[in-house]
């Protein structure tokens, strides 16, 4: 009886399970993966077989992963993936036709692999873009094999079934686009306006969100629903603040005042140390990083808002609640300016009051009060 | 006959790199290294809060993540005169230590190994013989015929789909591949194993740093990860135990898989101990402070300089002697491009003068890279694990000497063999072993501090910008996996007035300077044999031995610049 | 002979005092939310929770009051009408503004005499009205962040695309300080006019009546 309950509530065809076993993936792990994905996508359990079928056989979608003005952090994030692991992704789930960091081939052989895939799988492959695209000065700020990033992006994303922008640089321009944006860096959706793009911002992105999007696409043949910034709702639908493990301390009114103080050690809210959780939509508190080991707030550092557009400019300074007031120095905070303003107003009107009290003959004749005799 | 070739993109590295090389009589006679991407982060940093700088600089690189944060917070701490608490020193050492271990193993298996290991050949290996080979060099518990059979079946099934993905179009079958099929199969198995292992052991970063890549607990003045044995929200006994387990697993893999594999593979490629020597000058800033008061003298990896391969003399390192040239880089200096500038006075004014994309070749007679050319006392320097091991060896560092001698004896070569492509790859392994063994010491010290009630992780003195001097400047160092990393900051009125980073790959991948001296990549390629210019595997071997950290490209040109051969896919 | 004039109708007075109360409560709670200066003694406290709750309740009250006052702009008497708040649109108003400006800056001795708001004050109030609206819009936009797709998020969410979330937050914060500055000025001016015009300016906002000599209005 126990055993009955233990089994997956839905049937996945024996045929599929055997094929996976032949590829070295045991059925338990495979089913676990399918159900994790179903849960991640907030789907009913009855979708497990559908996900299993989507992953079955050599349906592996061809993927072309391009890096432009990036730091390879998102590729590294992919290597930390657990459900499935990087090895499974590379060998079993995807057909990674091009990724400069991982691929064996180099130079023209590598370029040929990329453009062969574009030709062979026209309209069917997934393009993944890491890093922003520099538009200034004819694209000289990033070239691959002598070709500008913009040209490569147009060719590859232009004929892709879908483009996934991994990381904040590809999604919104990220750090190269931070003021004063020396290279004219833009996101992939601005560089190639015709492409079907889904944004997975984060610096770097959480690999779990990438695998979930890929599986969603394999299962339903379309990309998941997104918010107004092109981010999938299943991963960016809630503020960090609203799912935060330290939220009760926020509501209670308990705040860490400095790093390492007793409140900080006891996990009090990091609001006063500049946490940007209240402004940031991401699933960090629930999914966490490195197989759910931790995330910034858990490790005592405020959120820096890395999944929000233009966060390098709007969320900084990172250790203050509010951005700098334009036109005032680094040290001035909005409150100091406000207090100064209020005080200056009071002083000015005080002075005006004294002057008004001293002035004579400004009242109307009729208003003049007659002295009582 | 003379030919010029280009490799672009150079893959299995971080970033965008391009190599152009001239080949004569089967050997490279001239080479140019070019980075083809520019982001301008130094420019973006101007005017910002210096306490934020580490978040920005960490995004220089996601592979050697953490390292720029480390150098950035140190340069601001240097500028403001902040001493960090002992716990912060230990946490930083642990983060740096495990970063080096993980990064080096990934480099060896996933970025470098395919230059030496032929995956296709592994398909014809005998799993029983493979197990015997593996057991003869290591007592790693997985070395069984069943295990190797399983791996082989998995790779066969993958190859059977006919869709090789990242393994297509490579130089499989190239005659420069020397390993027997069994050794290839063993390496392929460990390629996959290392891929699993690296994501586990790096959880040390998640515990101490919140996540990896791009941990987020660095602070000017210490770390943000609290330490408190009586709290659920801090490093406590449970987390110490978790990290101990991870560190042990890291060490076991290094001792029982990485080092035996390195020695086994190297023994088939001994001629590479005479190839790829490079500039022969080495520089380290030193790192891993062993106590909190000893300054640079307490560094586990010492600071120093060696010139012209002279192991008898380690010179003191003085950062004032560092200058950067832009004579051959796409930047301009207001005082003229032929003069070097110290990073405090550094300028990052980009001006591209290269060919308009799409282009076939760069103008290697003029400016040809986004990388500046740093020089120490006017000389090009190599940085990285080899520099660290050579300087430690020459300085009489006991643990380094013992381990280096052990490896040299195993391979039956002398210390002169260190100055080579193979030496660079071996030094990386030696260093990994040393750090894998050291990490636990730091963890124990951290636990000991906690036990004694020492819980401070952050020095809040001068956290508030109102306590800062009007002007300040500082130098931040770090021995990153790829070598000596320096950040220089000038702070004025609480904001960054200038920020310059001279990163390891700037030292190594830099182009020529005003005097026409080659950078280390370029110098090390000269003399490298290239059996088949269509498949310049040898270029990748030497370039990958440096573990490049930028995006790149390589071209092959005719000696007279007339005949241009495109590297074609076979 | 002094005349007693009914200047401020009851909806004007009620919304004025509700606004005043709301501004005080919203400013105090808002400043606490931006910088929680009091720390809760124990984890079972709910200090920030209550402060935010009060902030939201008064935000709704303020909004209702503002809506009522906006309606009254169109149905109230001439002193409450929207026309009084755009003096620059009428020649008499412009004249009056200039006169008051001269009085305030000590250039002119005579107070320009009006029954309702003086023209300069009325112009300032229309700016303050605009700031009130900014606060309502940015405030409810920020409030809506807790639930994407909620009513407030749908109508004001697009602001975040235009000004970014921290930008909206900063605006809400800075405008609070501007309104605090306004309040100081407002109380002072009322006091000044009360003693200089001697027409019961201060008491008029309680009672609705002002006392004036028709001669002065000529």
């Amino acid at each position: 009886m126990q055993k009955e309950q233990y089994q997956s509530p839905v049937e996945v065809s024996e045929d599929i399970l055997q094929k996976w076993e032949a590829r070295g993936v045991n059925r338990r792990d495979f089913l676990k993966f399918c159900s994790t994905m179903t849960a991640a996508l907030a789907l009913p359990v009855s979708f497990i077989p559908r996900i299993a079928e989507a992953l079955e056989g050599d349906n592996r979608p061809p993927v072309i992963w391009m890096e432009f003005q990036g730091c390879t952090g998102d590729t590294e994030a992919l290597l930390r993936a657990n459900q499935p692991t990087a090895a499974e992704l590379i060998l079993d789930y995807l057909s990674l036709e091009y990724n400069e960091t991982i691929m064996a081939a180099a130079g023209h052989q590598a370029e040929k692999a990329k453009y062969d895939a574009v030709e062979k799988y026209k309209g069917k492959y997934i393009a993944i873009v890491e890093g922003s695209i520099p538009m200034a000065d004819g694209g000289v700020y990033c070239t691959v094999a002598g070709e500008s990033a913009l040209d490569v992006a147009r060719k590859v994303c232009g004929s892709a079934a879908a483009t996934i922008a991994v990381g904040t640089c590809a999604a919104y321009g990220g750090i190269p686009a931070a003021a004063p944006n020396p290279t004219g860096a833009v996101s992939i959706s601005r560089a190639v306006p015709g492409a079907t793009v889904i944004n997975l911002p984060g610096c770097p992105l959480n690999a779990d969100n990438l695998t979930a999007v890929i599986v969603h696409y394999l299962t339903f043949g379309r990309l998941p629903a997104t918010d107004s910034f092109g981010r999938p709702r299943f991963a960016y639908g809630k503020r960090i603040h609203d799912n935060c493990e330290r939220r009760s301390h926020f509501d209670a009114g308990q705040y860490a005042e400095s790093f390492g103080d007793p409140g900080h050690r006891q996990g009090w809210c990091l609001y006063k140390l500049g946490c940007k959780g209240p402004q940031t939509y991401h699933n960090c508190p629930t999914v966490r990083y490195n197989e759910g080991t931790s995330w910034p707030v858990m490790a005592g550092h405020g959120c820096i808002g890395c999944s929000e557009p233009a966060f390098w400019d709007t969320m900084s300074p990172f250790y203050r609640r509010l951005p700098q007031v334009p036109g005032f120095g680094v040290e001035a905070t909005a409150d100091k300016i406000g207090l100064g303003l209020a005080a200056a107003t009071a002083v000015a009107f005080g002075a005006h009051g004294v002057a008004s009290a001293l002035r004579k003959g400004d009242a109307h004749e009729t208003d003049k009060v007659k002295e009582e005799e | 006959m003379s030919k010029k070739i280009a490799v672009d993109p150079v893959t299995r590295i971080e970033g965008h790199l391009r190599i152009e090389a001239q080949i004569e009589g089967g050997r490279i006679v001239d080479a140019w290294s070019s980075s083809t991407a520019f982001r301008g982060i130094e420019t973006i940093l101007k005017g910002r809060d210096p306490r934020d700088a580490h978040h920005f600089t960490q995004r220089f690189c996601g592979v050697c993540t953490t390292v720029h944060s480390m150098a950035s917070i140190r340069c601001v701490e240097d500028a403001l005169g902040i001493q960090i608490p002992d716990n912060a020193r230990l946490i930083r050492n642990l983060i740096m230590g495990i970063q080096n271990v993980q990064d080096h193993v990934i480099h060896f298996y996933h970025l470098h190994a395919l230059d030496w290991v032929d995956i296709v050949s592994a398909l014809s290996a005998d799993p029983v013989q493979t197990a015997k080979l593996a057991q003869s060099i290591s007592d790693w518990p997985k070395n069984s015929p069943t295990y190797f059979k399983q791996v082989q079946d998995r790779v066969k099934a993958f190859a059977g789909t006919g869709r090789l993905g990242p393994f297509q179009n490579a130089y499989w079958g190239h005659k420069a591949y020397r390993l027997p099929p069994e050794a290839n199969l063993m390496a392929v198995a460990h390629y996959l194993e290392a891929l699993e292992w690296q994501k586990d052991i790096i959880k040390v970063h998640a515990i101490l740093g919140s996540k990896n890549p791009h941990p987020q607990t660095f602070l000017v003045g210490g770390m943000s990860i609290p330490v408190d044995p009586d709290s659920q929200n801090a490093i406590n006994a449970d987390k110490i135990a978790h990290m101990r387990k991870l560190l042990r697993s890291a060490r076991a893999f290094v001792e029982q898989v990485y080092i035996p594999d390195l020695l086994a593979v190297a023994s088939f490629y001994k001629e590479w101990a005479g190839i790829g020597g490079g500039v022969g000058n080495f520089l380290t800033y030193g790192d891993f402070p062993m106590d909190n008061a000893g300054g640079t003298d307490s560094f586990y990896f010492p600071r120093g300089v060696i010139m012209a391969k002279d192991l008898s003399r380690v010179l003191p390192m003085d950062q004032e002697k560092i200058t950067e040239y832009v004579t051959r880089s796409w930047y301009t200096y207001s005082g003229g491009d032929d003069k070097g500038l110290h990073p405090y006075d550094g300028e990052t004014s980009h001006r591209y003068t290269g060919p308009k994309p799409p282009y076939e070749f760069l103008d290697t007679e003029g400016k040809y890279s986004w990388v500046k050319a740093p020089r120490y006392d006017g000389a090009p320097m190599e940085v990285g694990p080899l520099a660290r091991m050579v300087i430690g060896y020459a300085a009489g560092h006991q643990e380094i000497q013992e381990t280096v001698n052990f490896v040299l004896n195993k391979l039956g070569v002398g210390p002169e063999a260190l100055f080579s492509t193979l030496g660079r790859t071996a030094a990386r392994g030696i260093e990994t072993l040393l750090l894998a063994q050291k990490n636990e010491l730091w963890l124990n010290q951290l636990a000991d501090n906690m036990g004694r009630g020492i819980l401070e992780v952050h020095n809040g003195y001068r956290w508030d910008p109102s306590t800062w001097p009007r002007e300040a400047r500082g130098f931040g160092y770090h021995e990153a996996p790829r070598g000596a990393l320096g950040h220089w900051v000038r702070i004025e009125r609480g904001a960054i007035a200038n920020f310059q980073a001279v990163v390891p790959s700037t030292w190594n991948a830099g182009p020529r300077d005003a005097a026409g001296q080659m950078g280390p990549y370029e110098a090390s390629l000269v003399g490298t044999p290239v059996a088949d210019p269509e498949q310049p595997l040898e270029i990748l071997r030497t370039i990958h031995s440096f573990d490049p950290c930028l995006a790149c490209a390589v071209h092959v040109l005719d000696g007279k610049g007339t005949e241009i051969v495109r590297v074609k896919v076979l | 002979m002094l005349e007693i004039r009914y200047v401020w109708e009851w909806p004007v007075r009620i919304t004025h005092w509700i606004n005043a109360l709301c501004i005080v409560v919203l400013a105090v709670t808002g400043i606490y939310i931006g910088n929680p200066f009091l720390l809760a003694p124990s984890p079972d406290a709910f200090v920030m929770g209550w402060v935010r709750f009060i902030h939201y309740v008064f935000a709704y009250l303020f909004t209702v009051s503002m809506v009522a006052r906006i309606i009254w702009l169109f149905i109230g008497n001439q002193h409450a009408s929207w026309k009084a708040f755009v003096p620059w649109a009428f020649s008499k108003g412009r004249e009056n503004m200039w006169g008051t400006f001269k009085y305030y800056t000590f250039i002119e001795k005579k107070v320009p005499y009006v029954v309702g708001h003086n023209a300069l004050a009325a112009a300032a109030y229309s700016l303050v009205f605009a700031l009130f609206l900014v606060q309502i819009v940015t405030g409810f936009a920020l409030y809506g962040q807790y639930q994407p797709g909620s009513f407030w998020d749908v109508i004001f969410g697009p602001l975040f695309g235009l000004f970014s979330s921290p930008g909206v937050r900063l605006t809400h914060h800075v405008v609070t300080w501007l309104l605090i500055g306004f309040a100081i000025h407002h109380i002072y001016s009322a006091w000044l006019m009360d003693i200089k015009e001697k027409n019961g300016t201060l008491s008029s906002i309680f009672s609705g009546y002002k006392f004036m000599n028709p001669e002065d209005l000529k």
Side-chain angles (χ1 to χ4, degrees):
Chain A
M1 206 54 212
Q2 280 292 92
K3 205 175 168 221
E4 287 289 300
Q5 282 176 343
Y6 201 75
Q7 283 194 338
S8 167
V10 287
E11 290 288 317
V12 173
S13 110
E14 185 60 26
D15 194 34
I16 292 176
L17 294 175
Q18 279 174 3
K19 277 187 190 160
W20 281 100
E21 278 181 329
R23 280 151 76 174
V25 180
N26 82 40
R27 56 181 65 206
R28 217 184 135 80
D29 287 348
F30 179 70
L31 282 172
K32 193 174 140 213
F33 170 68
C34 292
S35 54
T36 308
M37 273 302 132
T38 314
L41 295 166
L43 296 171
V45 183
S46 55
F47 275 85
I48 291 174
R50 225 169 128 180
I51 286 180
E53 274 164 39
L55 296 170
E56 190 265 324
D58 200 21
N59 285 341
R60 293 181 301 152
V63 169
I64 300 177
W65 183 305
M66 291 162 293
E67 182 182 345
F68 300 121
Q69 285 178 303
C71 71
T72 319
D74 301 295
T75 299
E76 284 287 327
L78 173 78
L79 296 182
R80 310 288 183 270
N82 180 46
Q83 294 279 10
T85 65
E88 287 164 344
L89 276 169
I90 294 167
L91 297 180
D92 305 329
Y93 294 91
L94 305 174
S95 183
L96 192 60
E97 305 290 330
Y98 185 87
N99 174 306
E100 286 167 24
T101 310
I102 296 170
M103 68 195 304
H108 297 294
Q109 284 93 335
E111 289 308 288
K112 184 170 164 26
K114 178 164 72 190
Y115 289 117
D116 280 356
V118 170
E119 276 307 306
K120 194 170 165 196
Y121 304 110
K122 216 173 190 78
K124 291 188 186 122
Y125 62 86
I126 298 175
I128 298 184
V129 180
E130 172 174 5
S132 55
I133 290 123
M135 305 288 272
D137 305 319
V140 298
Y141 300 112
C142 181
T143 61
V144 178
E147 229 183 337
S148 73
L150 181 60
D151 285 343
V152 178
R154 278 186 182 142
K155 285 186 203 167
V156 177
C157 301
S159 343
T163 298
I164 304 176
V166 292
T168 304
C169 294
Y172 306 124
I175 193 165
N181 193 353
T183 61
V186 299
S187 66
I188 184 67
S189 49
R190 277 189 60 196
V192 189
T196 311
V197 179
I198 187 162
N199 292 326
L200 296 179
C203 196
L205 94 161
N206 195 326
D208 287 6
N209 293 337
L210 176 61
T211 48
V213 166
I214 291 172
V215 174
H216 188 285
Y217 180 76
L218 295 179
T219 310
F220 304 109
R222 61 178 164 77
L223 293 168
T226 56
D227 67 5
S228 57
F229 295 116
R231 304 176 288 199
R233 288 181 190 280
F234 77 82
Y236 302 86
K238 281 258 178 190
R239 274 190 306 181
I240 285 192
H241 191 51
D242 294 320
N243 273 331
C244 183
E245 61 198 36
R246 302 190 178 202
R247 180 57 187 265
S248 60
H249 294 293
F250 173 81
D251 288 334
Q254 294 180 306
Y255 306 95
E257 297 280 327
S258 65
F259 292 102
D261 73 9
H264 184 250
R265 293 206 302 273
Q266 289 302 321
W268 287 8
C269 176
L270 301 168
Y271 189 73
K272 292 180 85 172
L273 297 175
C275 180
K276 300 299 185 295
Q279 287 109 296
T280 307
Y281 291 86
H282 209 176
N283 56 359
C284 303
T286 44
V287 174
R288 299 181 182 170
Y289 293 84
N290 302 89
E291 300 173 37
T293 306
S294 189
W295 66 292
V297 169
M298 188 172 169
H301 192 290
C303 162
I304 61 168
C306 73
S307 62
E308 292 295 316
F311 83 96
W312 291 107
D313 293 328
T314 62
M315 300 284 182
S316 61
F318 294 123
Y319 299 100
R320 291 206 172 123
R321 277 294 321 133
L322 289 169
Q324 255 167 255
V325 183
F328 289 86
V330 172
E331 287 182 42
T333 62
D335 279 344
K336 280 188 195 162
I337 294 167
L339 205 58
L341 189 81
T345 314
V347 169
F349 287 116
H352 193 273
V354 170
S356 299
L358 294 175
R359 77 198 293 191
K360 299 268 191 243
D362 55 342
H364 290 262
E365 281 304 309
T366 49
D367 284 351
K368 288 211 170 130
V369 181
K370 291 236 167 82
E371 298 282 325
E372 295 257 350
E373 307 244 323
Chain B
M1 196 188 97
S2 171
K3 262 182 189 171
K4 195 165 178 184
I5 65 165
V7 182
D8 182 355
V10 174
T11 54
R12 281 181 281 127
I13 62 156
E14 193 293 317
H16 300 261
L17 179 75
R18 172 186 184 96
I19 300 284
E20 301 194 6
Q22 195 152 336
I23 299 173
E24 222 170 273
R27 274 184 192 276
I28 295 173
V29 293
D30 209 348
W32 297 267
S33 152
S34 168
S35 166
T36 62
F38 171 73
R39 291 182 288 164
I41 296 176
E42 289 166 337
T43 311
I44 290 166
L45 275 166
K46 282 191 186 172
R48 296 188 189 258
D49 189 334
R51 295 172 302 172
D52 286 354
H54 70 94
H55 292 292
F56 286 81
T57 60
Q58 177 151 236
R59 274 68 186 186
F60 280 153
C61 179
V63 174
C64 33
T65 179
T66 75
V67 307
H68 294 282
S69 279
M70 198 69 70
S72 275
I73 51 180
R74 278 176 171 165
C75 75
V76 178
E77 284 162 1
D78 183 44
L80 301 175
I82 298 170
Q83 168 78 42
I84 62 164
D86 197 48
N87 286 339
R89 170 185 72 89
L90 293 166
I91 293 170
R92 288 181 187 182
N93 277 1
L94 278 167
I95 289 179
M96 295 187 284
I98 199 72
Q99 170 68 16
N100 271 269
V101 170
Q102 188 238 19
D103 201 38
H104 286 345
V105 172
I106 290 188
H107 174 262
F108 181 74
Y109 286 103
H110 307 118
L111 305 182
H112 201 18
L114 301 183
D115 301 334
W116 314 98
V117 172
D118 187 341
I119 295 188
V120 174
S121 147
L123 296 176
S124 54
D126 173 3
V128 179
Q129 291 304 316
T130 309
K132 270 191 191 155
L133 168 70
Q135 284 158 7
S136 75
I137 59 171
S138 161
D139 46 9
W140 186 241
K142 281 191 174 174
N143 286 339
S144 71
T146 342
Y147 172 68
F148 288 114
K149 174 84 169 55
Q150 228 175 17
V151 171
Q152 198 182 35
D153 284 351
R154 189 171 182 197
V155 176
K156 268 185 186 161
F158 174 75
T161 64
R163 298 170 65 194
L164 296 183
F167 306 109
Q168 66 190 322
N169 281 0
Y171 306 139
W172 310 134
H174 194 291
K175 63 183 174 186
Y177 283 120
R178 298 273 177 71
L179 298 184
E182 284 70 28
N184 282 320
L185 177 57
M186 182 177 77
V188 170
H190 293 158
Y191 176 104
L192 294 172
E193 223 174 293
L195 209 47
E196 294 281 317
W197 168 89
Q198 56 86 21
K199 76 174 173 56
D200 286 332
I201 61 121
I202 206 62
K203 285 178 194 159
V204 172
H205 275 192
I207 296 167
L208 295 173
S210 81
K211 63 189 173 112
N212 173 286
H214 297 332
Q216 199 167 307
T217 58
F218 298 101
L219 291 176
V220 167
M223 300 296 294
S224 84
I225 177 81
V227 165
D228 188 341
D230 299 318
S231 171
Q232 188 181 326
N233 302 82
I235 298 300
N236 50 28
D238 176 46
K239 287 179 180 160
I240 294 278
H242 189 183
M243 284 190 281
R244 178 165 286 120
K245 189 175 162 224
L246 296 168
L247 294 178
R248 284 192 177 150
S249 138
R251 178 177 173 171
F253 190 86
V254 170
E255 286 176 345
Q256 296 175 45
V257 182
Y258 174 27
I259 298 299
D261 280 4
L262 174 67
L263 293 172
V265 172
S267 65
F268 286 94
Y269 290 105
K270 280 188 196 164
E271 78 275 19
W272 282 86
I275 299 171
V279 294
N281 307 322
F282 298 92
L283 172 115
T284 56
Y285 297 143
D287 213 330
F288 300 100
M290 298 302 279
D291 69 59
N292 220 14
T296 54
D297 293 340
S298 76
F299 288 165
Y300 182 55
F301 287 159
R303 176 176 282 197
V305 167
I306 281 185
M307 302 303 283
K309 303 183 184 176
D310 181 3
L311 289 176
S312 68
R313 224 153 49 108
V314 178
L315 305 166
M317 195 291 299
D318 175 11
Q319 59 92 9
E320 293 291 336
K321 291 184 178 172
I322 294 169
T323 49
E324 280 193 296
Y325 288 86
V326 295
T327 322
R328 309 297 289 275
S329 316
W330 291 313
Y331 303 92
T332 54
Y333 281 167
S334 49
D337 294 355
D338 285 344
K339 250 187 80 195
L341 290 182
H342 185 271
Y344 277 138
D345 312 310
E347 299 173 14
T348 306
S349 312
H350 53 283
R351 204 186 66 194
Y352 183 77
T353 54
K356 193 174 149 39
Y359 55 81
E360 292 278 324
F361 292 98
L362 292 166
D363 172 20
T364 48
E365 298 303 307
K367 292 179 182 251
Y368 62 90
S369 180
W370 283 117
V371 175
K372 294 178 186 174
R375 296 293 181 260
Y376 180 83
D377 220 359
M381 311 296 288
E382 177 175 342
V383 298
L386 179 57
R388 288 192 282 261
M389 293 306 104
V390 159
I391 286 167
Y393 190 82
H397 187 295
Q398 198 194 341
E399 287 171 27
I400 291 178
Q401 278 191 340
E402 280 171 7
T403 319
V404 169
N405 286 334
F406 162 78
V407 169
L408 293 176
N409 289 341
K410 273 271 183 192
L411 294 174
V413 291
E416 69 287 348
L418 287 168
F419 307 110
S420 67
T421 298
L422 194 63
R424 221 168 269 127
T425 301
R428 189 169 290 110
I430 294 165
E431 162 172 303
T432 311
L433 183 62
L434 291 170
L435 286 175
Q437 292 168 343
K438 216 75 201 165
N439 280 332
E440 246 184 294
L441 172 75
W442 295 320
L443 185 69
N444 289 340
Q445 288 177 353
L446 180 64
D448 183 55
N449 278 354
M450 281 166 64
R452 289 188 290 133
I454 301 170
L455 306 180
E456 199 191 359
V457 288
H458 181 242
N459 179 354
Y461 164 71
R462 295 207 155 165
W463 174 250
D464 188 339
S466 63
T467 63
W468 299 352
R470 207 175 166 76
E471 282 182 27
R473 58 182 212 175
F475 161 60
Y477 61 90
H478 176 39
E479 281 298 334
R482 286 157 187 82
L485 166 64
H487 285 191
W488 285 262
V489 70
R490 277 201 298 113
I491 302 169
E492 281 171 21
R493 296 173 177 211
I496 294 170
N498 196 11
F499 200 102
Q500 292 288 322
V502 182
V503 314
S505 294
T506 315
W507 285 105
N508 290 340
R512 288 154 169 78
D513 57 23
Q517 299 180 92
M518 289 182 167
Y521 284 7
E522 298 174 337
S524 68
L525 283 174
V526 173
T528 297
V530 175
D532 178 1
E534 301 281 318
Q535 297 195 332
L537 176 61
E538 298 87 347
I539 291 181
L540 293 183
R541 284 181 176 170
T542 293
I543 292 298
H544 280 152
S545 75
F546 283 95
D547 193 2
C549 201
L550 34 72
C552 52
V554 182
H555 285 171
V556 186
L557 299 181
D558 178 276
K560 298 192 172 56
T562 50
E563 186 194 351
I564 290 164
V565 179
R566 294 285 301 248
V567 179
K568 294 210 180 75
V569 184
L570 296 183
Chain C
M1 191 63 187
L2 282 182
E3 274 179 25
I4 296 174
R5 293 216 185 166
Y6 187 48
V7 182
W8 312 126
E9 298 154 292
W10 64 267
V12 175
R13 282 176 279 141
I14 288 182
T15 54
H16 172 272
W17 287 113
I18 290 177
N19 288 354
L21 174 69
C22 287
I23 289 170
V24 170
V25 173
L26 288 169
V28 171
T29 53
I31 287 167
Y32 178 82
I33 294 168
N35 177 24
F37 42 84
L38 295 175
L39 283 194
S42 76
D44 57 355
F46 198 61
V47 179
M48 179 61 97
W50 280 116
V51 169
R52 290 173 78 232
F53 177 73
I54 294 166
H55 194 79
Y56 299 145
V57 168
F58 278 81
Y60 273 106
L61 181 61
F62 182 63
T63 308
V64 170
S65 166
M66 279 302 292
V67 169
R69 186 64 185 82
I70 287 168
I71 293 169
W72 204 253
L73 283 175
F74 299 97
I75 57 178
N77 68 15
Q78 54 158 321
H79 306 301
S81 163
W82 63 273
K83 288 179 190 149
F85 294 93
V86 286
W88 58 85
F90 307 97
S91 67
K92 194 157 187 292
R94 282 193 291 271
E95 210 175 283
N96 197 299
M97 274 172 84
W98 180 233
T100 313
F101 177 78
K102 284 195 292 190
Y103 174 74
Y104 276 144
T105 50
F106 305 103
I107 296 169
E108 183 67 57
K109 282 193 164 183
K110 293 288 174 211
V111 190
Y113 220 92
V114 290
V115 178
H117 297 298
N118 78 57
L120 204 58
Y125 296 152
S126 50
L127 177 68
V128 169
F129 257 64
L131 292 180
F132 285 166
L133 292 177
V134 168
Q135 288 301 73
I136 289 173
V137 168
T138 54
F140 279 105
L142 292 168
Y143 176 67
Q145 284 191 313
Y146 82 98
Q147 180 59 62
S150 63
F151 175 74
W152 294 115
D153 181 60
V154 169
I155 60 170
F156 294 140
L159 280 181
F160 298 118
L162 293 171
F163 305 109
S164 85
S165 177
V168 172
R169 206 163 286 253
L170 182 65
T171 307
H172 195 70
H173 206 91
V174 168
V175 171
T176 301
W177 285 109
L178 293 179
L179 290 175
I180 290 171
F182 163 76
I184 294 169
H185 151 258
H186 181 66
I187 294 167
Y188 166 73
S189 298
W191 165 80
L192 182 70
M193 286 300 120
D194 189 73
I195 58 167
K196 294 294 178 184
E197 294 183 342
K198 298 201 171 57
N199 61 4
T201 304
L202 273 185
S203 71
S204 71
I205 196 61
F206 297 95
S207 64
Y209 296 98
K210 276 191 180 181
F211 315 98
M212 46 194 54
N213 190 326
E215 289 295 306
D216 289 332
L217 293 171
K218 282 176 188 161

